[in-house]
């Protein structure tokens, strides 16, 4: 199933919805189409192009700040399915500061790791080993939180997701 990007009236990314929901937003005149995909939805009396990007006609106030859920799939997506210690293919997650030593289960303390590196590190701090992180772990922010679980981002979305230079 394809997805559609929903932008607020100010062109800031809000969420990703199903094609069907995007068509309902357009037909209800809640949103306007900014970019059309190559698909078309048909009914008995109507054919509607499936939008790839829609923009709400009115500004939608977002009352809370949404955080990306911390789970294995999200950690692997953030780290590109690569071990953050050796660069090999990741198979598990590792807590940089071990939970047995008071480490928390937060974005800033969890990284993707291959099994050999995870076993080698065990329940030790990084400074107690010869291992180093390729990149410091951080919580996803901005548009990356919307597309984290999608894998590849469609090229039609890129102008709306990339920060303005």
């Amino acid at each position: 199933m394809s997805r559609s990007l929903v932008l607020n009236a100010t062109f800031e990314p809000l969420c990703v919805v199903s094609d069907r929901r995007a068509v309902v937003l357009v037909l209800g005149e809640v949103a306007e189409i900014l970019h059309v995909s190559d698909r078309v939805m048909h009914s008995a009396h109507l054919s509607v192009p499936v939008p790839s990007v829609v923009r709400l006609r009115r500004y939608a106030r977002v009352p809370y700040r949404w955080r990306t859920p911390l789970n294995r799939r999200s950690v692997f997506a953030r780290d590109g399915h690569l071990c953050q210690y050796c660069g090999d293919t990741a198979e598990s997650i590792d807590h940089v500061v071990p939970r047995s030593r008071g480490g928390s289960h937060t974005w800033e303390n969890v990284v993707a790791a291959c099994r050999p590196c995870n076993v080698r590190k065990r329940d030790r701090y990084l400074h107690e080993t010869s291992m180093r992180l390729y990149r410091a772990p951080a919580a996803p922010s901005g548009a990356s939180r919307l597309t984290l679980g999608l894998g590849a981002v469609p090229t039609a979305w890129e102008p709306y997701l990339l920060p303005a230079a």
Side-chain angles (χ1 to χ4, degrees):
M1 172 175 35
S2 296
R3 300 285 184 156
S4 298
L5 177 65
V6 177
L7 304 174
N8 209 339
T10 58
F11 288 91
E12 65 181 318
L14 283 181
C15 61
V16 177
V17 297
S18 67
D19 284 348
R20 182 179 175 138
R21 178 66 180 146
V23 169
V24 168
L25 290 172
V26 170
L27 289 177
E29 297 183 357
V30 175
E32 61 184 356
I33 298 175
L34 294 181
H35 191 274
V36 180
S37 69
D38 55 352
R39 298 182 52 222
V40 177
M41 283 191 178
H42 301 281
S43 71
H45 304 288
L46 186 64
S47 292
V48 180
V50 175
S52 177
V53 180
V54 296
R55 178 179 157 258
L56 298 179
R57 292 184 186 271
R58 290 190 163 173
Y59 179 77
R61 186 175 152 270
V62 182
Y64 59 90
R65 189 174 173 157
W66 188 82
R67 274 186 66 97
T68 305
L70 176 57
N71 54 38
R72 289 174 56 89
R73 189 171 105 192
S74 297
V75 172
F76 286 148
R78 177 197 67 184
D79 294 342
H81 296 274
L82 297 175
C83 176
Q84 294 302 296
Y85 298 114
C86 71
D88 201 5
T89 303
E91 304 163 341
S92 61
I93 61 170
D94 180 58
H95 292 85
V96 179
V97 176
R99 293 188 77 177
S100 63
R101 293 194 173 187
S104 60
H105 187 67
T106 60
W107 279 106
E108 293 77 16
N109 192 41
V110 177
V111 295
C114 65
R115 191 169 307 276
C117 287
N118 205 347
V119 168
R120 190 171 61 153
K121 183 175 170 286
R122 296 186 302 209
D123 65 341
R124 298 181 289 180
Y125 292 112
L126 270 180
H127 69 274
E128 295 174 351
T129 68
S130 62
M131 303 168 76
R132 298 289 172 254
L133 283 171
Y134 279 129
R135 184 178 56 183
S141 61
S144 65
R145 69 175 171 76
L146 294 174
T147 60
L148 198 57
L150 296 176
V153 175
T155 55
W157 295 10
E158 290 176 2
Y160 306 103
L161 296 177
L162 296 176

